[in-house]
Amino acid sequence: MARERIIDAEARDVQEERYDLTLRPQSIDDCIGQEKLLEKITIALQAAKQRNEPMEHTLLHGPPGLGKTTVAHVIANEMGANLKTSSGPALTRPGDLMGILTNLQRGDVLFIDEIHRLPAVVEEFIYPAMEDFRVDFTVDSGMHAKTINIPLQPFTLIGATTRAGLITAPLRARFGIQHHLEFWSQEHLGQCLERAGGMLKIAYDSDAVALLSKCSRGTPRVANRLLRRVRDYAQVHGEGKITKEMACAALRIEEIDETGLDNLDRMFLRSLIETYNGGPAGIEALAATLGQERDTLEDVVEPYLLQIGFVARTRSGRVATEAAYKHLGLKYGGRKQSDGQESLF
């Protein structure tokens, strides 16, 4: 069974989603970070309200845990509309989407998570709904087949995805607003933690907040998760107040260092440096060495190591940088030839 990773940005269960929901901002003014996106949405919201129309369809893409679902809730609240949520894997046939679309009221917001996983038949079904607010639904089959044109109330579709490259060009072209969510800065993560601490009535030191924001891998969902773990530790082993010492002790139990790397991240770097002389090494070879799935390394481990400059991708494979050597306390000696033989040319 795979080991739980506290720094994994994917949502875990219903309980965690419920916890995040209590901390979720309800208006644009409450939002933190993503200034460019918030400015773009603020203008679109004001213009839509002045015209008394639904806001443009919006596509949000980026790594998990950065606030795509939160933005959808904020847009719905700002428009005074209802929010209907679904996901790409849950919509397997047009009939699944038909019931949702026909129940939407004017101005409602439909949020589809992992929209890149919509089946082709459902994706084509949603095109006229997005453009003309109507759907063509086929009943019966063969010579008795009939196509019924059903008008819809104007609505706003918000699509979210972690794999923007897998979205087809026709679907992408139908979104008026498209934005890539970036990893959060430590300053914004600190503000997020302070806001969450205030809402949960947690006593904390500024040094502890700075440490947690540094270890949160630029992801507010991870920051909130670390805050919960440290709060529990401070409640059991201290007086309930989160100090820097309490935060360090709690992170040590979770095997998370000051850069936000956990044991799997460090194993990845050590394998690349010690087994493959710093690289270049292929992802398949690293996956076999570590006993992990390739997708786990590419989607979960590598993105953050690339972001902080510990790993570089080349045409020949992955290469460990000097910063990775320093972080592990190893001497940086450059890469060696794999067999020690001189070049033939």
Side-chain angles (χ1 to χ4, degrees), residues 152-173:
L152 303 173
Q153 294 290 341
F155 68 97
T156 299
L157 174 65
I158 300 179
T161 177
T162 56
R163 299 285 192 89
L166 298 182
I167 297 180
T168 62
L171 180 60
R172 184 192 296 270

Side-chain angles (χ1 to χ4, degrees), residues 3-66:
R3 183 181 182 275
E4 178 189 32
R5 301 185 75 220
I6 187 175
I7 44 78
D8 187 357
E10 292 285 355
R12 292 220 181 115
D13 49 37
V14 176
Q15 183 177 357
E16 182 174 63
E17 290 180 355
R18 190 181 299 119
Y19 170 85
D20 290 340
L21 184 61
T22 61
L23 302 177
R24 186 168 286 155
Q26 301 299 314
S27 66
I28 290 285
D29 294 335
D30 295 334
C31 291
I32 300 170
Q34 310 291 347
E35 293 93 344
K36 293 181 180 179
L37 172 62
L38 295 180
E39 182 182 5
K40 192 183 298 186
I41 288 177
T42 300
I43 294 173
L45 283 170
Q46 291 179 356
K49 289 178 182 178
Q50 291 173 4
R51 295 192 303 266
N52 194 25
E53 296 177 356
M55 200 182 101
E56 282 189 283
H57 301 308
T58 304
L59 177 64
L60 305 174
H61 48 89
L66 298 185

